[in-house]
Amino acid sequence: MDEQIGITVFVGTEELSVSIDDVQEVIEPVPVLSVPVTHCFFTGLISLRGAIIPLVDLHSVLHESPSRFTNKDKKYIICRSGQKSIAIDIDSVGDTFSFTSDQVSAPANDKTVLQQLVSGQIRLADRELPLLSIARVIAYTSELNAKQREQLGYLAVH
């Protein structure tokens, strides 16, 4: 069996999981450079050791309620999918856990934003966790940001 490692993250009332293979690192919040004419979930850009990375507020993307965590728990997870990197603003990081592909089922077939961003549900002994697809998060947020810019009269450069 192909054992994998996941990490839990908290956003509002949601507990999600991310494959550790998609996570480059978890960092404390750093200063953010705001970018005009972007979608509201796009917080701005951060600089991490010379790399400029877009920062997405997962609260805004998921339309989540306020967090039960304090600002001192807040983290940014730096993730990569293919050649693209993204920093995701989350409320807190939980534990790591092991799972196999046998424990992953297809995502629910509904049209919620969360279900569009997950690649499956991981069945653990005590709960099920949505498995966040970083590729889907990047594609979804990029598409919404492009639409926002087009609506405001900014043409996409191809």
Side-chain angles (χ1 to χ4, degrees):
M1 288 201 198
D2 58 334
E3 187 168 276
Q4 300 175 52
I5 305 292
I7 186 169
T8 59
V9 298
F10 296 90
V11 178
T13 59
E14 292 288 339
E15 181 180 18
L16 310 166
S17 63
V18 179
S19 171
I20 204 76
D21 292 339
D22 293 335
V23 177
Q24 287 183 282
E25 62 186 299
V26 178
I27 64 171
E28 296 294 325
V30 296
V32 178
L33 174 65
S34 65
V35 178
V37 194
T38 55
H39 199 279
C40 64
F41 64 76
F42 181 66
T43 307
L45 301 170
I46 64 169
S47 176
L48 185 63
R49 291 183 293 285
I52 304 302
I53 303 170
L55 176 65
V56 170
D57 178 9
L58 206 51
H59 262 275
S60 297
V61 174
L62 299 177
H63 309 289
E64 263 305 308
S65 59
S67 172
R68 65 180 191 249
F69 297 96
T70 65
N71 275 345
K72 69 179 181 174
D73 296 315
K74 185 185 234 7
K75 302 285 187 238
Y76 295 165
I77 56 171
I78 311 301
C79 299
R80 180 180 275 307
S81 177
Q83 296 298 313
K84 296 184 178 181
S85 291
I86 189 171
I88 302 174
D89 184 346
I90 59 167
D91 292 328
S92 183
V93 173
D95 297 323
T96 59
F97 60 92
S98 299
F99 67 99
T100 64
S101 56
D102 293 347
Q103 292 173 268
V104 181
S105 60
N109 194 15
D110 62 34
K111 298 295 181 193
T112 65
V113 172
L114 177 59
Q115 291 308 316
Q116 293 177 52
L117 301 179
V118 300
S119 57
Q121 290 285 122
I122 300 175
R123 292 179 313 280
L124 300 176
D126 57 343
R127 66 196 185 281
E128 283 196 8
L129 293 172
L131 178 59
L132 200 59
S133 166
I134 299 306
R136 290 182 186 183
V137 170
I138 291 171
Y140 180 80
T141 56
S142 295
E143 180 182 325
L144 284 180
N145 204 43
K147 284 181 184 177
Q148 174 78 17
R149 292 181 58 81
E150 276 184 37
Q151 287 174 353
L152 296 172
Y154 290 81
L155 299 174
V157 178
H158 296 284

